[in-house]
Amino acid sequence: MKLMILDGNSVINRAFYGVRLLSTRDGQYTNAIYGFLNILDKMRQEERPDALCVAFDLHGPTFRHEQYDQYKATRHGMPEELAQQMPVMKDVLRAMNIPIYACQGWEADDVIGTVAKRCAAGGWDCVVVTGDRDSLQLVDDRVTVKLIVTKGGQTNSTNYTPEVFRAEYGFDPIRLIDLKALMGDSSDNIPGVAGVGPKTATDLLLKYGTLDRVYENLTPQNMKGKLYEKLSGGKDNAYLSYDLATIRLDAPVNFAPGDALVAEPDKPALYALFLRLEFVKLIDKYRLRSASAAADPAARRNEPACPEGGRTECAPAHAPETQAEFDALLACWKGADHVALAASEDLEFLALDDGTHPVLLGRDRLGQVYDLTLRAIFSGQVRLIVHGAKELQRALLERCLPTAGIRFDTEVAAYLLDAARGKYELSRLALDYCQLQLPTEKELTAQGREQTEARTAVLLARAAATLALYVPLTEGLKAQGLESLFYDVDLPLCAVLAEMEVDGVLVDAEALQSFDRMLKARIAEAQAEVFRFAGGDFNLNSPKQLGEVLFARLGLPAGKKTKTGWSTNVEVLEKLRDKHPIIGRIMEYRTLTKLQATYAEGLLKVIGPDGRVRTTFQNTVTATGRLSSTDPNLQNIPVRTDLGAEIRRMFVPAPGCVFVDADYSQIELRVLAHMADDKAMQEAFRSGEDVHRVTASQVFGVPLQDVTPQMRRNAKAVNFGIVYGISEFSLSEDIGVSRTEAKNYIENYLRKYHGVRDFMASVVEQGTKDGYVATLYGRRRYLPELKDGKYMVREAAKRMAMNSPIQGTAADIIKLAMLRVDKALKSAGLAARLVLQVHDELIVECPEAEAETVRALVTREMEGAAALSVPLTAEAKIGRSWYEAK
């Protein structure tokens, strides 16, 4: 029987440096993992072991460090790009059912030596795969060291048996220890005997055999010249080095050869990891296509796979060329349960698939009839399944085409099933849920297809994949109780968001240009003041140069110095604000430059020909269900500073119109009061009093009329901090009190609002048990980190567990409010339209004559969006700019 053990750190290091840097689209580095797996596969093919395992070093000092504090002191730290891959590599090995052995305080070499000894004792052969020659001392009749060299992605190896070793070195493998004792080892910083190099050390061993015999024969007659002095003076170091270089064979590792017998991998787990790492070729190589992905991302169980796995080939498609042909197809589609549709970005081609045969529609064949075809398909007569409904609806609206008929969106459904997934490309979903690999236009053109043919073939494959995803996704929604949230909230919201994106919001370009000029003038003034205080010019945007000015030239108390220089982040500067007037000007400069670049200049670049700015609302990004805004981000317009809030003056309604701006009052706290069923907090809201003053009265134990403004501010910080699972340290930083005071505030709060305390504890407990937490409407957030072995990771997950149901429920309510407001405006026949959403705030643009009607309507619909145990209140204002309406 044969066991093969890999020196994990050695192999992954060689893989990392032997394979060019690779990463996934979301930034996870993968080259070391990919290279490691290739080396592993090659070694397995060459050795065909009966058992297989891997040894890794653990972080922390070993007994050798305690023995010699300079041991390995010259080594550089592991590159971040490699460190990021280490835990994932171990996850992959576990999924492959390959045992991992490590021992705190001992090195992987010692674990390998111990494993090799136990194999030999049990009559097993052992093959050690490593790139380090240290392990050659283990070579004997039962132990072979397979020494690897990786270059340019190619790995070659040499099998060291006792004969091979003797042929190269001239002495037995165990004498490698004596060799290192004499010549040292620069990589491990083993000193050896100063002045004795590899040749001299080898010659000594060939003549005397061992280190002991060298010193037994140490006389001026035997060792001529300076060698005698070197060996005499270096004896202590020689024996210290001998001890450091000796691989121990008695590491306290729980191992027996039979424990590592080669086993089948956990295919679903390995499949999921390879998908995340984008190892598509390895999925095929390891034959993981059958590892179907279930609709429940936490458990991957019970949901049916798609009809047929494999690659989605480009099936022959019917391409109608006349109105009559299309009408016949339309009649068939009207009778179909669902028809999957994929459209090119320019809407010049459509691919449809009803499960019987694919159809390709294109302007190139249908000509003017094509526009009528589009109208017929999107008029609502055909029940459509699409991927990315919002983007498709926006494209249709921009061409004044109808957007009805979309009954299912695979992107939104997949997002609901796993909001932490992050990526919802059709190709990834098809591979994950259905084991279908979609072709790309690049692949098809490389095979000799014409560009148009390749483009339409990809569309046909996308339509087929969209149809295939329908079954597992609908079953998943049903299994998780998410059908109502999907069909009543997230899917219909796509149409509302598409309309908002197409409409955009008007910006006063002239006022924005004036604001931009003012900011640039103030930036120049602030910069000049900084240079005056600094005693000369420098690159103010360079943290390194700024650190030199502050801490070297001006002598201010320095914080932590990094590899690139002193830290000059906002936390550091805040602590220095009272130390020198330059700090205030630096902070002013940073604030002004961000305002100018991001908002003034940034907005000027994206104003459309009609003067309106159009954002993109992201509805499948956040893990809590909140909407986000990009290109530009209009949800992040600053409001906390007077100058930042001025940006909102630039957003104005069309001539003759006004803005109606409505936002919920403390919606997350009201949701918390309802979900926690905290009677004290509910009474605070029902009383109509200022909830932060009531909280201050409760927490500080003073009558309501004696609450000071500072007490209210602190209570407000606690109120909102509790929602986000704030720690005593963070609260102390936020409100400027000691950690002890902050701890007392939190404890007093939870003592008074014990319903909140109990709710938070139950959410964490339930989340740990189920693997997820949920909103009032059933939206889930999966948090496997609640069971993580690392304390800091678990604590962060606990905060997310406490916050997500609250923030997510508030997000669900604002989505319901958007749907209600949009429907009510249209039902009333008003010209008013939603133009912006900023978390708990809705902005409607309407003719001035409709303003009061719209204000009442928006308030009514927002307050009626949910029935909570406390009043859900919304306040609406009217203004001729966003600033004025806010």
Side-chain angles (χ1 to χ4, degrees):
M1 301 284 280
K2 182 197 293 185
L3 176 137
M4 185 168 76
I5 181 168
L6 275 71
D7 182 346
N9 290 79
S10 173
V11 173
I12 201 168
N13 262 284
R14 276 144 187 82
F16 177 75
Y17 289 106
V19 179
R20 66 181 178 84
L21 203 60
L22 303 171
S23 68
T24 62
R25 276 165 282 186
D26 59 3
Q28 167 68 52
Y29 291 104
T30 60
N31 62 310
I33 301 170
Y34 187 78
F36 187 105
L37 291 173
N38 284 336
I39 293 171
L40 172 61
D41 184 62
K42 184 174 183 180
M43 299 300 104
R44 289 182 71 170
Q45 288 182 33
E46 291 179 3
E47 296 296 329
R48 302 292 179 185
D50 302 290
L52 177 64
C53 60
V54 182
F56 279 104
D57 289 320
L58 293 176
H59 183 70
T62 68
F63 64 85
R64 292 183 178 86
H65 293 90
E66 295 171 2
Q67 184 178 1
Y68 180 55
D69 61 5
Q70 292 302 302
Y71 182 64
K72 293 189 177 180
T74 56
R75 286 200 177 183
H76 297 295
M78 183 182 293
E80 176 58 32
E81 295 87 349
L82 174 56
Q84 185 191 95
Q85 299 180 65
M86 290 295 288
V88 185
M89 182 71 252
K90 293 177 182 179
D91 288 342
V92 169
L93 290 171
R94 293 185 189 100
M96 295 175 76
N97 281 323
I98 297 175
I100 296 173
Y101 294 101
C103 194
Q104 193 67 57
W106 299 68
E107 293 184 58
D109 283 350
D110 302 311
V111 173
I112 291 169
T114 303
V115 165
K117 179 182 178 183
R118 292 186 192 175
C119 282
W124 283 57
D125 291 327
C126 181
V127 177
V128 177
V129 177
T130 182
D132 295 333
R133 288 182 172 264
D134 298 357
S135 295
L136 293 177
Q137 64 184 272
L138 300 173
V139 171
D140 62 23
D141 291 339
R142 284 285 187 182
V143 179
T144 299
V145 171
K146 202 172 184 69
L147 198 67
I148 61 170
V149 176
T150 299
K151 187 174 182 180
Q154 298 297 315
T155 298
N156 296 305
S157 63
T158 302
N159 279 21
Y160 277 85
T161 61
E163 294 74 25
V164 173
F165 184 91
R166 289 190 198 101
E168 182 174 328
Y169 284 88
F171 44 76
D172 289 340
I174 194 64
R175 300 280 74 90
L176 183 67
I177 305 171
D178 305 70
L179 184 68
K180 288 202 169 204
L182 289 166
M183 72 178 195
D185 185 342
S186 59
S187 67
D188 289 340
N189 204 35
I190 294 175
V193 176
V196 173
K199 185 178 185 306
T200 302
T202 300
D203 290 342
L204 286 169
L205 290 177
L206 289 174
K207 183 174 183 179
Y208 296 106
T210 67
L211 180 68
D212 287 340
R213 292 295 305 278
V214 168
Y215 277 99
E216 287 171 6
N217 289 277
L218 181 60
T219 65
Q221 292 76 22
N222 291 336
M223 314 294 179
K224 302 294 183 181
K226 294 183 178 179
L227 180 58
Y228 175 80
E229 296 174 6
K230 291 174 182 177
L231 288 170
S232 297
K235 184 175 182 179
D236 288 345
N237 272 349
Y239 279 96
L240 168 65
S241 299
Y242 186 95
D243 208 30
L244 293 173
T246 301
I247 293 176
R248 303 302 196 267
L249 308 180
D250 57 350
V253 58
N254 185 18
F255 166 82
D259 297 339
L261 289 172
V262 172
E264 280 292 306
D266 179 345
K267 286 191 174 183
L270 190 58
Y271 178 81
L273 279 167
F274 281 179
L275 277 178
R276 180 156 64 91
L277 296 169
E278 298 176 4
F279 290 168
V280 175
K281 291 182 180 178
L282 291 185
I283 288 173
D284 290 328
K285 184 175 182 179
Y286 285 83
R287 298 180 180 177
L288 301 177
R289 294 289 183 190
S290 60
S292 60
D296 183 342
R300 301 290 184 198
R301 62 185 185 276
N302 297 333
E303 276 68 44
C306 298
E308 295 179 2
R311 188 176 182 85
T312 302
E313 299 296 345
C314 312
H318 178 58
E321 299 185 16
T322 66
Q323 182 69 50
E325 283 187 84
F326 172 72
D327 289 342
L329 285 169
L330 186 60
C332 292
W333 291 334
K334 288 178 182 178
D337 288 337
H338 291 93
V339 178
L341 178 143
S344 60
E345 288 186 13
D346 57 9
L347 290 183
E348 292 298 294
F349 292 95
L350 295 182
L352 296 100
D353 197 329
D354 60 3
T356 56
H357 57 275
V359 173
L360 178 66
L361 302 174
R363 187 181 298 280
D364 61 338
R365 287 178 177 267
L366 289 170
Q368 293 182 345
V369 176
Y370 186 69
D371 289 327
L372 296 175
T373 301
L374 289 176
R375 290 188 176 278
I377 290 171
F378 292 106
S379 65
Q381 301 175 70
V382 182
R383 291 178 284 275
L384 297 170
I385 306 170
V386 303
H387 184 81
K390 180 176 70 71
E391 288 70 24
L392 176 58
Q393 288 166 324
R394 175 171 176 167
L396 291 166
L397 289 170
E398 287 171 343
R399 292 161 177 78
C400 299
L401 292 167
T403 62
I406 295 176
R407 306 299 172 86
F408 198 85
D409 182 354
T410 52
E411 180 182 27
V412 170
Y415 167 69
L416 271 179
L417 289 173
D418 187 2
R421 178 189 179 98
K423 300 287 185 179
Y424 302 94
E425 299 99 331
L426 182 59
S427 58
R428 294 292 295 273
L429 296 177
L431 194 58
D432 194 358
Y433 283 93
C434 304
Q435 299 80 59
L436 295 174
Q437 187 176 345
L438 299 185
T440 66
E441 191 174 325
K442 183 178 180 180
E443 288 174 345
L444 295 178
T445 52
Q447 294 170 11
R449 304 229 187 166
E450 295 292 334
Q451 188 170 4
T452 300
E453 181 189 3
R455 182 185 183 194
T456 54
V458 168
L459 276 184
L460 287 163
R462 290 178 65 83
T466 302
L467 184 64
L469 281 166
Y470 178 71
V471 171
L473 293 180
T474 53
E475 289 296 321
L477 293 173
K478 183 178 181 180
Q480 293 191 24
L482 293 169
E483 290 175 298
S484 177
L485 194 60
F486 175 79
Y487 289 108
D488 298 336
V489 183
D490 279 24
L491 181 62
L493 187 67
C494 291
V496 176
L497 295 174
E499 290 177 358
M500 293 169 66
E501 289 179 3
V502 170
D503 288 339
V505 60
L506 190 65
V507 171
D508 186 338
E510 188 175 330
L512 191 58
Q513 288 168 347
S514 176
F515 186 66
D516 182 54
R517 289 192 293 270
M518 180 273 292
L519 287 175
K520 287 176 178 175
R522 289 189 56 177
I523 288 168
E525 180 185 335
Q527 179 177 265
E529 280 288 282
V530 170
F531 291 164
R532 182 174 68 82
F533 286 127
D537 294 1
F538 64 98
N539 183 357
L540 188 46
N541 296 316
S542 165
K544 182 177 181 180
Q545 292 187 33
L546 178 59
E548 292 291 337
V549 168
L550 295 179
F551 307 120
R553 189 184 304 177
L554 297 181
L556 295 177
K560 184 177 179 180
K561 191 172 185 179
T562 66
K563 292 179 180 179
T564 56
W566 285 283
S567 173
T568 58
N569 61 26
V570 66
E571 290 81 8
V572 171
L573 295 183
E574 278 288 356
K575 292 175 182 177
L576 296 174
R577 188 186 281 272
D578 298 330
K579 304 294 184 182
H580 196 287
I582 194 175
I583 303 300
R585 292 306 245 167
I586 292 170
M587 297 184 76
E588 181 186 4
Y589 172 85
R590 287 184 175 179
T591 299
L592 292 169
T593 52
K594 182 174 182 179
L595 277 174
Q596 189 275 327
T598 305
Y599 300 109
E601 185 178 310
L603 286 172
L604 284 169
K605 289 179 180 178
V606 295
I607 296 176
D610 59 354
R612 300 179 81 88
V613 167
R614 291 169 173 84
T615 188
T616 297
F617 291 102
Q618 303 286 351
N619 59 332
T620 60
V621 170
T622 68
T624 58
R626 295 179 89 179
L627 298 174
S628 60
S629 164
T630 58
D631 305 321
N633 183 355
L634 297 185
Q635 293 187 334
N636 202 31
I637 302 294
V639 292
R640 294 188 178 180
T641 63
D642 291 340
L643 192 59
E646 284 293 310
I647 295 288
R648 295 195 172 203
R649 290 190 190 275
M650 314 304 159
F651 291 86
V652 294
C657 293
V658 293
F659 282 147
V660 175
D661 187 322
D663 62 357
Y664 281 117
S665 171
Q666 299 155 344
I667 185 172
E668 291 186 354
L669 287 179
R670 293 173 191 269
V671 167
L672 175 61
H674 174 84
M675 294 186 74
D677 195 25
D678 189 291
K679 304 303 180 186
M681 184 175 284
Q682 289 173 359
E683 181 54 36
F685 279 115
R686 292 194 190 108
S687 70
E689 291 281 354
D690 177 350
V691 70
H692 299 310
R693 293 186 73 244
V694 173
T695 298
S697 173
Q698 295 274 356
V699 170
F700 297 111
V702 298
L704 200 61
Q705 63 270 20
D706 292 341
V707 171
T708 66
Q710 185 60 50
M711 287 179 178
R712 182 188 181 278
R713 281 194 293 273
N714 289 350
K716 182 177 180 180
V718 177
N719 264 331
F720 287 113
I722 289 294
V723 174
Y724 288 89
I726 198 169
S727 66
E728 61 195 52
F729 174 77
S730 296
L731 181 63
S732 69
E733 291 282 304
D734 288 349
I735 63 178
V737 299
S738 69
R739 290 184 65 173
T740 301
E741 288 177 281
K743 182 180 180 182
N744 289 336
Y745 290 166
I746 293 173
E747 288 178 349
N748 288 341
Y749 180 99
L750 295 176
R751 193 159 39 245
K752 294 294 183 182
Y753 297 118
H754 53 82
V756 172
R757 178 196 62 206
D758 296 343
F759 171 73
M760 293 298 189
S762 68
V763 165
V764 172
E765 181 182 357
Q766 194 69 33
T768 305
K769 176 185 174 184
D770 295 339
Y772 67 87
V773 294
T775 71
L776 199 60
Y777 297 89
R779 187 185 303 275
R780 295 183 181 186
R781 179 173 187 176
Y782 287 90
L783 290 168
E785 298 87 353
L786 287 169
K787 295 181 180 178
D788 195 278
K790 297 184 180 67
Y791 173 80
M792 295 300 291
V793 174
R794 286 199 312 276
E795 289 301 301
K798 286 179 182 179
R799 290 192 290 274
M800 287 187 277
M802 290 185 277
N803 165 251
S804 292
I806 308 304
Q807 189 180 103
T809 297
D812 290 340
I813 291 173
I814 195 69
K815 287 179 177 179
L816 286 165
M818 293 174 72
L819 290 167
R820 288 170 61 96
V821 168
D822 180 74
K823 181 179 180 180
L825 290 173
K826 290 173 180 173
S827 297
L830 298 169
R833 54 189 176 177
L834 270 170
V835 290
L836 277 179
Q837 185 261 30
V838 183
H839 305 313
D840 59 355
E841 175 186 3
L842 296 182
I843 299 99
V844 176
E845 184 180 28
C846 67
E848 194 168 354
E850 294 179 0
E852 290 299 336
T853 301
V854 170
R855 174 158 61 179
L857 180 150
V858 171
T859 302
R860 180 186 73 240
E861 297 303 325
M862 289 180 70
E863 292 183 344
L868 303 180
S869 55
V870 297
L872 186 61
T873 61
E875 183 181 6
K877 295 180 181 178
I878 301 169
R880 297 187 181 279
S881 70
W882 188 1
Y883 180 93
E884 188 179 316
K886 182 62 177 173

